[in-house]
Amino acid sequence: MKQSFKLINLKSNLNILLTATIIFLSGCSLNTPTKNSYSYLSAYNSGDWERAERLITAKIESGNSNADLYYMLGNICNDSKRPEKAIQHYQKALDLNPNHHKARHNLGVVYLKQGIYEISDAQKHLPVDDKILDELRKILRSF
């Protein structure tokens, strides 16, 4: 009789465990984001800038803006050779979250790149014997 009681108790415990597992897993699947809710992330992570930009912009326009979305737009614009737009997005990210270190870093990188391009362009307009030209070349070599 003891063995049959243990067997019934074991079956009961297994049923409870199985039921709890099913409930847990079904709850997880209900809370799992749909593929579409993260499609902007998959586009962004795969480097599909055009699609990612469109989807992120739509998300922002629907009222779901946050610093990370603007940071991602800044990265897209920076990689798409649109530094002015990248600066706007990084600044908006920092407006929303002044402690967004990645946005602050990338904003600095964009400004630095623009400065280097301006220095490079400026040297083209200076006379060959201008003293400032040597200084500009030193600056450019340091990068």
Side-chain angles (χ1 to χ4, degrees), residues 41-98:
L41 282 177
S42 61
Y44 179 83
N45 290 332
S46 68
D48 185 353
W49 296 141
E50 187 177 316
R51 180 170 170 250
E53 185 172 11
R54 186 174 22 85
L55 293 170
I56 293 169
T57 300
K59 189 167 182 67
I60 290 170
E61 289 173 353
S62 72
N64 294 317
S65 69
N66 62 53
D68 288 333
L69 293 175
Y70 283 100
Y71 165 74
M72 286 190 281
L73 282 176
N75 290 342
I76 290 167
C77 292
N78 188 35
D79 287 350
S80 302
K81 310 287 189 248
R82 294 178 286 153
E84 295 81 15
K85 201 74 170 150
I87 288 169
Q88 291 174 2
H89 292 306
Y90 291 140
Q91 287 176 333
K92 181 65 176 179
L94 290 169
D95 288 344
L96 294 171
N97 178 3

Side-chain angles (χ1 to χ4, degrees), residues 112-126 132-133 135-141 143:
L112 186 59
K113 284 180 181 178
Q114 282 189 320
I116 291 170
Y117 294 141
E118 288 177 16
I119 290 171
S120 179
D121 192 45
Q123 75 176 348
K124 295 174 188 173
H125 302 287
L126 293 170
I132 196 72
L133 192 56
E135 293 301 317
L136 288 175
R137 287 184 181 137
K138 287 178 189 175
I139 292 169
L140 289 173
R141 276 192 294 254
F143 293 101

Side-chain angles (χ1 to χ4, degrees), residues 13-30:
N13 286 341
L14 284 174
N15 280 336
I16 291 171
L17 180 62
L18 182 61
T19 303
T21 302
I22 291 170
I23 291 170
F24 173 76
L25 291 175
S26 66
C28 288
S29 67
L30 289 175

Side-chain angles (χ1 to χ4, degrees), residues 1 12 20 38:
M1 182 139 172
S12 176
Y38 283 114

